[in-house]
Amino acid sequence: MPYPSNSRSTLARRTLLQMAGRIGVVIALTTLVSYLHILRTMRDESLEHLARHVEERGQREQAIFVLVEEAHALLKQAFEERLQAGSQEDPTSRFDSMFELRSDGTIRTRPQGFDGTRVPGVWVTPGVKADTAFQRRLLASYDVIAQYGPAYRTRHANTYIFLTEGVNVLYWPEVPNWTQDASPDYPLLSFEYSLISRPQENPLRRMAWTRSYKDDVSGKWLISAVTPVDQDGQHVATLGNDVIVDDLLSRTRIDHLPGAHNLIFRDDGQLVAHPDIKLDSTTGGYDILAAQQPEGSRPGLPTAKQQAHLRSIFEAVKRRAPGQTVVGLPEYGEYIAVARLQGPGWNFVTVLPESVVTSKAIEAARYVLVFGLVSLLVELLIMFWVLRDQISRPLQTFTRATDQVAAGDFGVSLETSREDELGQLARSFELMAREVRQREEALRQANEGLEQRVEERTRELKDVHQQLMRAARQAGMAEIATNVLHNVGNVLNSVYTAAQLARERMNGMKLEHVGRVARLLQDHQGELTTFVIQDERGRHLLPFLDKLGQNLLDERGSMLELLGDIGRYTEHIGDIVKVQQNHARMPRIQESVSLAELVEDALRINAAGLSRHQVKVDRQWAPLPSVLTDKHKVLMILVNLFSNAKYAMDGVPPEERLLAVKMALAAADRVRIEVRDTGMGIAPEHLTSIFQYGFTTRQEGHGFGLHSSALAAQEMGGSLTVHSEGAGRGATFVLELPLNFAGLAHAS
């Protein structure tokens, strides 16, 4: 019987009380306190560094835009002064010497001596009236660009002045012949840099910035700055520069804090730069505020996750308090810092994952944890000393007792006086040894009858082996039978087809042809008689000729009856072969065949019957690839369909009898063959049962049943369907087959 346990003094309690209180509390509290302190300190320092970094970065990146604003102020002042100074001059002679009217209606800089790398070019849209006031404005624009364009070359891609009449005075050294090569219908006034300077778009008449775009000529990313110029309250010109922002965008994507990334967007939600999203001006960039679009709807579109992330960043920037630089984004575990770029009004944003901040704290806490583990190691050494005396040595005694029991000596003796788990184990071990000895005896007795059971099982296995051998022989015989039945079936198909063709041709022989031979013999009987009289050798011929005519008529009837018997007997044997094949079916390897050739073969087999029934054949098919299928089954189906169509048109006037065969691809991997006739059609109540076994609506000997054809189509991975609008409206049979049937067809 089991011994009762005493939980007042357990081995686990004695060992755990010596170490658990000191190790667990010290390590856990030390690590936790260190982590929280370091995390708070690191987070404050990281966010302060993030804010300082973004502010400095914003000041540095907006420098190019500040320079543009200063340059525009100087350009506007110089242009207005030049307009005022030239208001009393006569510009005609100078205008005519510098510019010419082209045959396309445009006014351009004269090409003689023109060098667009040193002086500006001029392009005037067709139809502009070049009066004195216009000439003064154009010359003033030319003088200002000629003076300041080369000076600003190191800062800007180009410098230009647009006049509201449709004039471009341009200094662009990288594209010096733009004004010479531009088409006369160039839509200068329809672009954004022209529209944003109009009074209705810019009522405050301040400097404005376009969206960033990729220049088609230079392949660089630009942003245009334009300043409107008014004269006597009227908008007369627009000053502009194209600023190259390739370096700024590149720095935004590449130059970032460790673990962070930068992006730029406008106040209207237009994304300017992002490290993981490729923007292309030809696709309209990306609008953060636009409705979420499905991935793949257009090139360059961010993923759904990126779209949601960008919208959260944009909303956090907009709702931040005035003067606040750093904003938390808890739903993504991030901090974002914002700097406003003066000029285009861009928002420069740095996104710093919270994990970057916490990782430093975790790294510091790890060192604390290491020291805790060292303490744990010391405690483990102490525990080892305790366990060696309290557990290891008693367990060695149990090991020796186990070896003794394994050797067959069950008379073990252990220390059972202890009141802990080892004492209970010792008592249980002695009890187990006694029970094992009893079971050993019972096992010896049970083994005495084991040999007899083994012999019985051996005999049963021999019987099973013999059954498996018989099954294997039967499977081999079935394979041989299937091969034989398959070859017999092919021969029977050929015999049956030939018999039907011969019978149709024999039916096509008109009776009067045979009678004509008999009458011909009668008409010339006198001559034959004379021949017999004159020639002794002819007396044996006359009796034969007398019976020839009658024999021809009798022979025709006998042949028809014989061919009918052959067809019925062949069909009967074929049914027997099909029944046997169902019990011993054998796979047949597919082969590549031409459907057009099979259709022609089927039409040739039915040629005599179609001609006798006065049926016209309409072939409609485009070139098709070869089909991997069972050509014998396909030929059988087509012969069956053509024969049935021929008999279906017996009640139709001969001029209306038409058999249309159409072949085309039904899909990328399937081919479709349509067989349409103008015959009697199929009643609606027969459409559901036409492919059933044994179903027919014709008298015996006419047409073929469709059950075997439908079954053969299914075995080849295809289908055979029928459509008819009713009796008297013809019928259409559709055979669909795969181009490459992956399986092995079975002989039907």
Side-chain angles (χ1 to χ4, degrees):
M1 60 179 295
Y3 291 90
S5 62
N6 184 3
S7 61
R8 291 178 298 177
S9 178
T10 63
L11 177 62
R13 175 177 297 180
R14 289 205 310 269
T15 54
L16 290 177
L17 287 178
Q18 297 178 24
M19 54 178 296
R22 288 167 294 187
I23 298 177
V25 174
V26 171
I27 295 178
L29 290 181
T30 303
T31 304
L32 179 61
V33 171
S34 300
Y35 172 74
L36 293 177
H37 175 72
I38 296 172
L39 176 62
R40 183 172 61 254
T41 303
M42 291 290 184
R43 181 175 57 196
D44 294 342
E45 293 179 355
S46 298
L47 295 183
E48 182 180 354
H49 176 67
L50 175 63
R52 187 169 58 252
H53 168 79
V54 170
E55 290 174 356
E56 294 175 355
R57 186 72 177 270
Q59 293 292 330
R60 187 168 63 253
E61 299 296 359
Q62 71 179 8
I64 58 174
F65 305 123
V66 174
L67 292 175
V68 172
E69 291 182 345
E70 295 174 354
H72 271 231
L74 184 60
L75 275 176
K76 183 177 181 180
Q77 180 182 357
F79 182 63
E80 291 175 342
E81 292 175 353
R82 183 65 184 84
L83 287 176
Q84 183 67 26
S87 60
Q88 303 300 326
E89 297 178 356
D90 183 7
T92 305
S93 60
R94 185 182 176 204
F95 183 88
D96 293 340
S97 64
M98 296 176 62
F99 313 114
E100 65 178 2
L101 178 64
R102 300 282 179 90
S103 59
D104 58 7
T106 62
I107 298 175
R108 307 182 191 235
T109 304
R110 292 184 179 275
Q112 296 81 7
F114 171 73
D115 184 359
T117 62
R118 292 178 297 175
V119 296
V122 173
W123 177 89
V124 182
T125 188
V128 175
K129 183 179 180 180
D131 55 13
T132 302
F134 172 77
Q135 294 178 6
R136 288 171 179 166
R137 288 196 303 274
L138 180 57
L139 290 173
S141 303
Y142 182 88
D143 292 341
V144 171
I145 297 300
Q147 179 182 358
Y148 290 96
Y152 291 157
R153 180 176 182 180
T154 57
R155 300 182 184 179
H156 315 133
N158 51 38
T159 306
Y160 52 83
I161 296 180
F162 297 154
L163 299 184
T164 55
E165 291 87 352
V167 178
N168 186 8
V169 181
L170 172 66
Y171 177 73
W172 194 358
E174 283 74 18
V175 190
N177 293 321
W178 187 95
T179 56
Q180 298 291 326
D181 300 336
S183 63
D185 57 350
Y186 184 77
L188 179 67
L189 300 180
S190 63
F191 290 106
E192 183 183 8
Y193 41 69
S194 296
L195 298 177
I196 62 176
S197 63
R198 298 185 304 179
Q200 57 269 34
E201 303 292 340
N202 190 352
L204 299 179
R205 317 307 289 151
R206 294 177 178 174
M207 180 180 180
W209 295 83
T210 65
R211 299 185 180 192
S212 60
Y213 59 93
K214 194 172 186 180
D215 181 58
D216 295 335
V217 178
S218 64
K220 298 180 179 180
W221 282 90
L222 308 176
I223 180 173
S224 299
V226 294
T227 300
V229 178
D230 298 341
Q231 186 179 31
D232 299 329
Q234 297 292 326
H235 180 210
V236 296
T238 300
L239 311 177
N241 292 107
D242 291 342
V243 182
I244 301 175
V245 293
D246 268 353
D247 292 340
L248 188 153
L249 300 181
S250 177
R251 288 194 301 272
T252 301
R253 292 189 295 267
I254 299 173
D255 186 8
H256 54 77
L257 291 174
H261 69 272
N262 305 320
L263 61 129
I264 299 176
F265 55 80
R266 291 167 36 128
D267 288 340
D268 59 0
Q270 191 70 23
L271 186 63
V272 177
H274 192 282
D276 300 323
I277 301 175
K278 183 179 181 182
L279 300 177
D280 189 349
S281 61
T282 59
T283 60
Y286 175 67
D287 187 359
I288 298 175
L289 298 179
Q292 185 167 322
Q293 306 177 44
E295 298 182 29
S297 59
R298 64 178 178 84
L301 186 69
T303 64
K305 184 177 180 180
Q306 288 175 327
Q307 294 181 50
H309 190 200
L310 286 173
R311 182 177 289 273
S312 298
I313 294 175
F314 181 85
E315 293 173 351
V317 170
K318 287 301 180 184
R319 66 171 178 263
R320 79 187 193 280
Q324 184 180 8
T325 302
V326 179
V327 182
L329 204 63
E331 61 267 30
Y332 288 95
E334 296 172 339
Y335 296 101
I336 57 176
V338 186
R340 184 79 169 177
L341 300 186
Q342 181 181 344
W346 288 355
N347 297 287
F348 183 92
V349 179
T350 296
V351 181
L352 180 67
E354 188 176 1
S355 59
V356 176
V357 179
T358 59
S359 62
K360 297 179 181 178
I362 294 174
E363 183 178 356
R366 186 179 296 115
Y367 290 105
V368 177
L369 182 62
V370 170
F371 287 111
L373 292 176
V374 173
S375 301
L376 176 61
L377 180 60
V378 174
E379 292 295 335
L380 289 176
L381 292 175
I382 298 174
M383 185 181 68
F384 172 75
W385 178 78
V386 173
L387 293 180
R388 184 184 61 180
D389 289 342
Q390 297 295 324
I391 296 178
S392 298
R393 290 177 179 174
L395 288 179
Q396 292 175 358
T397 303
F398 278 104
T399 302
R400 289 192 293 271
T402 303
D403 296 338
Q404 183 179 347
V405 171
D409 183 5
F410 300 101
V412 296
S413 177
L414 299 173
E415 183 181 357
T416 59
S417 60
R418 296 179 57 160
E419 296 299 328
D420 55 16
E421 288 87 345
L422 289 178
Q424 296 179 19
L425 180 61
R427 292 189 289 271
S428 299
F429 191 89
E430 289 184 349
L431 178 62
M432 179 196 69
R434 290 193 297 269
E435 292 180 354
V436 169
R437 181 169 53 189
Q438 296 174 1
R439 294 181 182 180
E440 183 76 14
E441 180 64 23
L443 181 61
R444 184 187 59 78
Q445 296 176 1
N447 286 339
E448 292 179 354
L450 180 61
E451 294 183 0
Q452 181 178 358
R453 291 196 296 272
V454 171
E455 293 178 358
E456 295 176 355
R457 181 61 64 184
T458 302
R459 288 194 296 270
E460 293 177 359
L461 291 176
K462 289 181 179 180
D463 293 340
V464 171
H465 176 70
Q466 292 177 358
Q467 293 175 5
L468 292 176
M469 292 294 292
R470 287 194 295 270
R473 285 195 295 271
Q474 291 175 357
M477 294 172 64
E479 182 177 359
I480 297 172
T482 300
N483 189 21
V484 172
L485 290 172
H486 171 70
N487 292 318
V488 171
N490 288 340
V491 175
L492 289 176
N493 285 336
S494 301
V495 172
Y496 183 82
T497 303
Q500 292 297 105
L501 180 61
R503 188 178 183 188
E504 288 178 359
R505 291 183 177 177
M506 185 63 72
N507 279 329
M509 295 175 59
K510 294 185 178 181
L511 185 60
E512 57 267 28
H513 293 168
V514 181
R516 187 179 302 167
V517 175
R519 288 194 300 271
L520 182 63
L521 293 174
Q522 293 175 1
D523 294 339
H524 294 78
Q525 185 174 9
E527 298 176 3
L528 292 172
T529 304
T530 304
F531 171 74
V532 171
I533 295 173
Q534 294 176 355
D535 192 344
E536 184 62 23
R537 293 173 299 175
R539 71 175 180 269
H540 299 291
L541 179 63
L542 188 58
F544 172 78
L545 294 176
D546 289 338
K547 296 183 180 180
L548 179 59
Q550 184 62 35
N551 288 341
L552 288 173
L553 295 174
D554 295 340
E555 190 64 23
R556 175 182 177 275
S558 299
M559 287 298 294
L560 288 174
E561 181 178 0
L562 178 59
L563 290 174
D565 292 341
I566 292 174
R568 288 192 300 274
Y569 297 156
T570 304
E571 187 174 10
H572 178 65
I573 297 174
D575 291 338
I576 296 174
V577 171
K578 290 179 180 179
V579 171
Q580 295 302 319
Q581 283 180 315
N582 289 333
H583 295 282
R585 189 170 293 271
M586 171 184 174
R588 184 158 59 206
I589 303 300
Q590 312 295 333
E591 56 184 310
S592 179
V593 298
S594 169
L595 288 181
E597 294 179 0
L598 289 181
V599 172
E600 292 295 346
D601 290 343
L603 288 173
R604 279 194 294 271
I605 293 174
N606 286 276
L610 293 173
S611 176
R612 179 168 56 84
H613 285 257
Q614 303 182 31
V615 177
K616 293 184 285 295
V617 179
D618 181 18
R619 297 170 173 84
Q620 304 175 19
W621 55 72
L624 295 175
S626 298
V627 179
L628 187 64
T629 187
D630 189 335
K631 70 176 183 180
H632 300 290
K633 290 185 179 180
V634 177
L635 181 62
M636 179 198 72
I637 295 172
L638 294 175
V639 171
N640 197 350
L641 294 178
F642 295 160
S643 178
N644 285 342
K646 170 183 63 181
Y647 288 112
M649 292 183 282
D650 283 346
V652 178
E655 62 274 8
E656 298 179 5
R657 299 176 183 176
L658 177 65
L659 174 62
V661 183
K662 181 179 180 180
M663 286 194 302
L665 286 176
D669 59 348
R670 296 182 73 82
V671 66
R672 177 188 182 97
I673 305 176
E674 293 186 5
V675 179
R676 179 172 56 85
D677 63 71
T678 58
M680 65 182 67
I682 302 173
E685 60 271 15
H686 292 158
L687 287 175
T688 58
S689 57
I690 192 171
F691 295 113
Q692 294 179 0
Y693 179 77
F695 177 84
T696 182
T697 59
R698 305 189 181 281
Q699 59 181 340
E700 184 178 0
H702 291 79
F704 299 93
L706 293 169
H707 169 72
S708 60
S709 297
L711 183 61
Q714 293 176 4
E715 291 177 347
M716 291 185 291
S719 63
L720 179 62
T721 57
V722 63
H723 170 72
S724 177
E725 296 182 358
R729 298 189 178 183
T732 301
F733 287 85
V734 179
L735 173 62
E736 284 197 9
L737 295 172
L739 287 177
N740 294 284
F741 182 46
L744 294 175
H746 291 80
S748 60

